[in-house]
Amino acid sequence: MKTRPKALYGYNLFGDPVKPSAGIVAEKFIVPPFSILDGTSAFWVKRRRMWDSMGFNSILGRPINMLKFSPASLDACGGKLPGEFDPVLCELAYRWFCPAKGLILDPFSGGSVRGIVAAFCGYHYVGMDLREEQVAENRKQAAQLSLTPSWITGDSRTFAKRVNTEGDFIFSSPPYFNREHHCDLPEDLNNSDTYEQFLVAYRTIIQQVSSRLRNNRFACFEVAETRDKDGRAISLVSDTIDAFRRAGLDFYNHAIHKKSIGSASIRTNMFGASRKLVPVHEHVLVFVKGDPKVATKLIGNEGLPKYILGEE
């Protein structure tokens, strides 16, 4: 019986020994590339804690009550609400869909996590955010880690004009119409008067960033369904798919990102009065510009950590 070479799995990004415990598919792709991405699994939670131990905080620079909770609900959370983008999802998306050392484009950059994870994993990153205070906070956190992702202050409806280079992967999470409140700037999509107004701007931004994506490359958005101001459901997922198709990309993958309960347990208190189910998942939508076979070949194994390939 053949034994595995001693250094086949090596060490992970955080210097810990890698143990082959999840099967050969997971060994190659970090987690199995199934359509359910379980952010509540023990492996995922542990990996997220390792990322969090680096010290960056994507919440900084954002309003404490950006989710517009009632005072009672805010008190139940101790005055703080979760809203940090999952760094493990970033890592997976980059490793799976972006060529090694590629340039990642993010038109809704928000907090620091997507840029910091990109830079730490050896990718280049350009994100755009409307608020100068958020961009300043992101740059501060990256500098503390000696990383150099790039953030630009501006309206993403001008993304193609402001970013004069082509990227290798689009990765972002958009505003969900009126679910959050970050600032009072009229350009902020969260402040749109109607969903129709939001959708026009949203399509424009996707068109802008897609025009800066090289051919035969992938794009990925994590989105959730939302509601109008009267509480009726709006399918932001299907509208996102439509917007990318209008921009010339093809719909390629659809996964569900299962998330921890977190503040959702507080929102269940409103079910008696509204009968609105509380979401504990988001949709990971992947698109391709050009030929998916060529796009996959360009990624190859270059985007996978060396310890997975047995090169360390």
Side-chain angles (χ1 to χ4, degrees):
M1 179 178 178
K2 293 184 178 180
T3 59
R4 298 179 187 275
K6 184 177 180 180
L8 178 59
Y9 297 99
Y11 299 89
N12 66 18
L13 293 171
F14 307 94
D16 298 318
V18 176
K19 297 180 180 179
S21 59
I24 191 168
V25 173
E27 290 166 12
K28 186 175 182 180
F29 298 113
I30 305 177
V31 301
F34 298 147
S35 59
I36 301 293
L37 302 173
D38 188 358
T40 68
S41 70
F43 176 84
W44 192 296
V45 171
K46 180 179 179 181
R47 198 170 187 88
R48 174 158 186 165
R49 286 173 180 166
M50 288 192 290
W51 277 111
D52 291 342
S53 70
M54 292 178 62
F56 59 86
N57 188 342
S58 191
I59 297 299
L60 295 179
R62 300 185 183 190
I64 290 177
N65 194 18
M66 65 181 184
L67 295 178
K68 301 186 288 186
F69 271 39
S70 68
S73 296
L74 197 59
D75 287 343
C77 294
K80 296 181 180 180
L81 294 172
E84 184 176 15
F85 197 86
D86 192 327
V88 180
L89 182 64
C90 292
E91 182 186 7
L92 296 179
Y94 299 159
R95 300 297 190 192
W96 291 356
F97 298 111
C98 185
K101 300 180 182 180
L103 173 61
I104 296 160
L105 306 177
D106 185 351
F108 301 109
S109 62
S112 61
V113 63
R114 291 195 290 275
I116 286 178
V117 172
F120 189 81
C121 291
Y123 300 93
H124 302 283
Y125 172 94
V126 176
M128 181 174 282
D129 192 84
L130 194 60
R131 298 180 306 115
E132 178 60 45
E133 60 269 29
Q134 183 68 72
V135 169
E137 177 60 40
N138 293 353
R139 290 171 177 166
K140 175 183 175 182
Q141 292 186 38
Q144 290 172 342
L145 296 169
S146 300
L147 299 173
T148 56
S150 175
W151 286 279
I152 301 171
T153 304
D155 186 340
S156 291
R157 281 169 280 202
T158 65
F159 194 94
K161 296 178 182 177
R162 299 290 306 281
V163 179
N164 59 2
T165 187
E166 291 186 315
D168 298 289
F169 183 49
I170 296 171
F171 187 60
S172 196
S173 181
Y176 298 157
F177 180 35
N178 61 355
R179 184 184 296 186
E180 300 178 356
H181 181 264
H182 293 262
C183 65
D184 294 325
L185 295 172
E187 297 88 354
D188 191 331
L189 268 63
N190 292 294
N191 298 330
S192 302
D193 292 328
T194 65
Y195 184 69
E196 288 71 23
Q197 182 186 63
F198 168 93
L199 193 56
V200 169
Y202 187 46
R203 288 170 176 166
T204 298
I205 292 169
I206 289 175
Q207 177 67 53
Q208 285 277 307
V209 68
S210 295
S211 71
R212 284 291 178 229
L213 183 66
R214 290 188 174 93
N215 201 34
N216 303 318
R217 299 294 194 277
F218 290 103
C220 178
F221 265 32
E222 182 178 46
V223 303
E225 301 291 25
T226 190
R227 296 180 182 274
D228 66 17
K229 295 179 180 180
D230 295 321
R232 297 181 180 87
I234 298 174
S235 184
L236 182 58
V237 171
S238 62
D239 285 334
T240 300
I241 295 170
D242 176 70
F244 270 100
R245 283 174 169 162
R246 287 170 180 253
L249 279 71
D250 295 314
F251 187 33
Y252 197 68
N253 286 316
H254 184 184
I256 297 298
H257 180 197
K258 182 182 177 183
K259 310 184 80 172
S260 62
I261 299 298
S263 65
S265 60
I266 298 172
R267 284 176 279 160
T268 59
N269 295 330
M270 297 178 277
F271 183 73
S274 69
R275 291 303 187 268
K276 295 176 185 175
L277 298 175
V278 181
V280 290
H281 71 282
E282 294 196 342
H283 301 258
V284 179
L285 309 176
V286 179
F287 306 88
V288 64
K289 182 178 183 180
D291 188 334
K293 292 182 179 179
V294 177
T296 301
K297 186 176 181 180
L298 288 170
I299 299 169
N301 285 327
E302 294 294 326
L304 296 176
K306 288 184 178 180
Y307 68 79
I308 289 178
L309 303 174
E311 297 176 5
E312 288 187 352

